[in-house]
Amino acid sequence: MKALIFLIISILLFSCKQEVSVDATLKQAGDNRAELEKVLEHYKNNNDKEKIEAAKFLIANMMYKYSYEGDILTHYDTIFELYQNIRKDSIYIGDPSSIRKVWDEVVNQHGKIDISRLQRNFDSQQLKGQFLIDNIDQAFDVWRKSPYYNYDNVELFYEYILPYRISHEPVESYRDRYYSMLKHIADTATAPLYLIKGFHDKLNKQEHFRSSSLMWDYPIELPLSKLEIGRRGACRHLTTFGALAMRACGLPVTIDRAIWANRSQGHSWNVLLLNDSIFPFDALSYSRLKMAYKPAKIFRKRFSVNFDLIEEVSINDIPASFFIIDEIDVTHEYINTCDIIVPMIHTTEQYKKKKYGIICVFDNNNWRPVYWGRIKSNNMIFKNMAVDIAYIAAYYDNGKVIPASEPFLVHADGRIEFCSVDKDKLMTLHLERKYPRFKRIEDHAWGLRRSNAEGANNPTFDNSIIFFSIYDIPLNVAD
């Protein structure tokens, strides 16, 4: 009975909060308010309670959804046309020098794409009522036809099938087109692996949607129309495209991203969300994801907004990169995690009033913030942290990381072991490598087999001599 009462209260609180959010979005919509109200009235007149709630969900979380626009983007459109032209010559991989040359010319003439200088077009002020009605109707239709349909798991539908966008890509109609093209894959695949492989065979192998290192310098998501012309993109573009294409077939797919603990940067991939498990895979890949490095944190993109984060935490206390308000922490779904309490060894009067701290990993060069936590009773409390990783707790002040603890290792059982320096106790270490032998490094190294290192004493390399030849990749230093 207590559990039932708690559930009812939770539903009522959620409904009240959603109603407030709907009203706030309608106010933000301004002159476009009538278009959003048209959606609610349409389903109210049809007495369709399911779709009324779906429409409220979209509108309530629409306030912070937007796409980018700017004149500079049109100058880069020629790049997609060039990719289209080389595809006609059966060039499907790589970034030819001709395209790189044009890219450099565009950069020299118009500059790089600077996100801070682009205009934000908010969905509430742009989207038309009929677009939202079509999106909702199509989403319900494909969901109910999907072999993964589960009426009881409405959250998966709301978050990962119903939405008309993934991130900040310009909104376009796409569902009918991709459903017609790809529905046979979803209907006939007997397991997640065959499903992923089917989409890979169609989109990657047949339609030639491929990765491009050059497109890493295109820092925002692409509209589908441009991606369809060029069929090239960086990780952010292809994961968005892959998720949209699979959602069009009624499949709950989104994007997960990791912050690495044992090297710089991170990685993003797609994930198929099943009722009781997940199936992660690289964008348009044919197999299950295998982590190349050790993640410290993994986050999942969803549509609903974490209003608690907006209302509670100050941007002065944690880095702006943590204010991705449509993500949730899913580290525990991939690796072992625990909650940790870190005593603040280093503290000053200046930071005693802070309510939040950060936790960092070392990324080859600096301590990199990966998450935030509350400060209570002179301790920093961090939730759902990956184990077997070295961290440091810190304050965040004006972009600076100020250590609040010594570096420490979180063991598999959640025990914290601090790394204290004792200059009076020395030891001798035999280091066989300067840098870990990650699989990616090994894969690159295999490409050096059967190659020579040559030298010459003239710029034309006449009469060069071979210094040494590489026949294989050594297993360790002794080899």
Side-chain angles (χ1 to χ4, degrees), residues 306-363:
N306 183 357
F307 288 102
D308 291 336
L309 176 64
I310 300 172
E311 297 167 359
E312 185 177 358
V313 184
S314 169
I315 199 169
N316 296 321
D317 288 335
I318 66 176
S321 60
F322 291 165
F323 281 88
I324 303 179
I325 57 177
D326 55 358
E327 285 187 343
I328 55 173
D329 180 2
V330 294
T331 313
H332 60 284
E333 294 188 24
Y334 287 87
I335 54 177
N336 293 331
T337 63
C338 66
D339 298 342
I340 60 175
I341 300 175
V342 185
M344 294 155 52
I345 301 172
H346 305 301
T347 185
T348 63
E349 290 294 328
Q350 181 181 357
Y351 300 120
K352 276 189 175 180
K353 293 183 179 180
K354 280 191 174 290
K355 297 180 180 179
Y356 302 94
I358 59 173
I359 188 168
C360 310
V361 294
F362 194 70
D363 70 353

Side-chain angles (χ1 to χ4, degrees), residues 38-290:
K38 184 190 299 183
V39 182
L40 300 173
E41 286 298 317
H42 172 79
Y43 293 119
K44 184 178 179 180
N45 293 337
N46 292 338
N47 196 30
D48 194 328
K49 295 181 180 179
E50 277 190 306
K51 292 183 179 178
I52 289 175
E53 291 305 311
K56 287 181 178 179
F57 172 80
L58 291 180
I59 293 173
N61 290 284
M62 193 183 292
M63 180 182 296
Y64 297 92
K65 306 296 182 182
Y66 57 86
S67 56
Y68 291 107
E69 184 180 272
D71 292 338
I72 192 171
L73 299 180
T74 61
H75 299 302
Y76 284 83
D77 287 351
T78 184
I79 301 297
F80 307 113
E81 295 168 0
L82 290 174
Y83 278 126
Q84 184 182 51
N85 290 335
I86 65 171
R87 195 167 62 250
K88 294 176 182 177
D89 297 327
S90 300
I91 300 175
Y92 304 127
I93 60 175
D95 299 308
S97 58
S98 58
I99 293 182
R100 289 184 174 275
K101 181 180 179 181
V102 173
W103 182 283
D104 291 340
E105 290 174 355
V106 173
V107 171
N108 290 334
Q109 187 171 354
H110 303 285
K112 294 182 179 180
I113 299 173
D114 182 353
I115 296 179
S116 65
R117 300 180 66 180
L118 297 177
Q119 175 184 334
R120 295 183 181 184
N121 290 334
F122 285 88
D123 292 359
S124 63
Q125 300 169 353
Q126 302 288 329
L127 298 185
K128 299 303 178 185
Q130 191 58 52
F131 168 83
L132 290 171
I133 291 170
D134 290 343
N135 175 82
I136 294 170
D137 289 346
Q138 291 162 1
F140 269 95
D141 185 48
V142 298
W143 179 45
R144 289 165 176 164
K145 292 177 181 177
S146 170
Y148 292 88
Y149 171 64
N150 182 350
Y151 179 82
D152 294 328
N153 204 335
V154 179
E155 182 184 0
L156 278 186
F157 171 69
Y158 271 29
E159 296 285 4
Y160 309 115
I161 298 176
L162 173 66
Y164 52 86
R165 67 151 74 249
I166 303 288
S167 186
H168 296 303
E169 72 279 5
V171 176
E172 297 176 336
S173 297
Y174 70 94
R175 288 187 185 270
D176 282 346
R177 186 167 76 256
Y178 280 92
Y179 180 69
S180 299
M181 181 197 306
L182 304 168
K183 65 177 181 177
H184 66 283
I185 300 173
D187 291 342
T188 57
T190 57
L193 180 61
Y194 300 124
L195 183 71
I196 301 308
K197 190 176 185 304
F199 278 88
H200 163 78
D201 290 345
K202 177 61 178 177
L203 297 175
N204 182 278
K205 295 180 69 174
Q206 296 180 28
E207 299 297 328
H208 305 297
F209 287 91
R210 304 289 175 84
S211 62
S212 159
S213 59
L214 184 62
M215 289 300 293
W216 277 100
D217 290 331
Y218 199 98
I220 61 174
E221 287 77 7
L222 289 168
L224 280 178
S225 55
K226 290 185 181 181
L227 191 59
E228 288 168 350
I229 293 172
R231 304 199 184 181
R232 297 293 184 91
C235 189
R236 69 170 64 85
H237 309 125
L238 295 182
T239 50
T240 298
F241 168 67
L244 288 174
M246 296 183 76
R247 287 184 183 187
C249 297
L251 301 170
V253 176
T254 190
I255 301 170
D256 285 357
R257 71 175 179 94
I259 302 175
W260 300 129
N262 55 347
R263 65 151 292 166
S264 59
Q265 301 179 340
H267 183 52
S268 298
W269 59 89
N270 288 122
V271 58
L272 172 65
L273 303 167
L274 307 172
N275 292 321
D276 55 359
S277 62
I278 61 173
F279 192 96
F281 57 99
D282 277 321
L284 308 184
S285 179
Y286 57 87
S287 62
R288 189 181 184 93
L289 174 76
K290 294 182 180 178

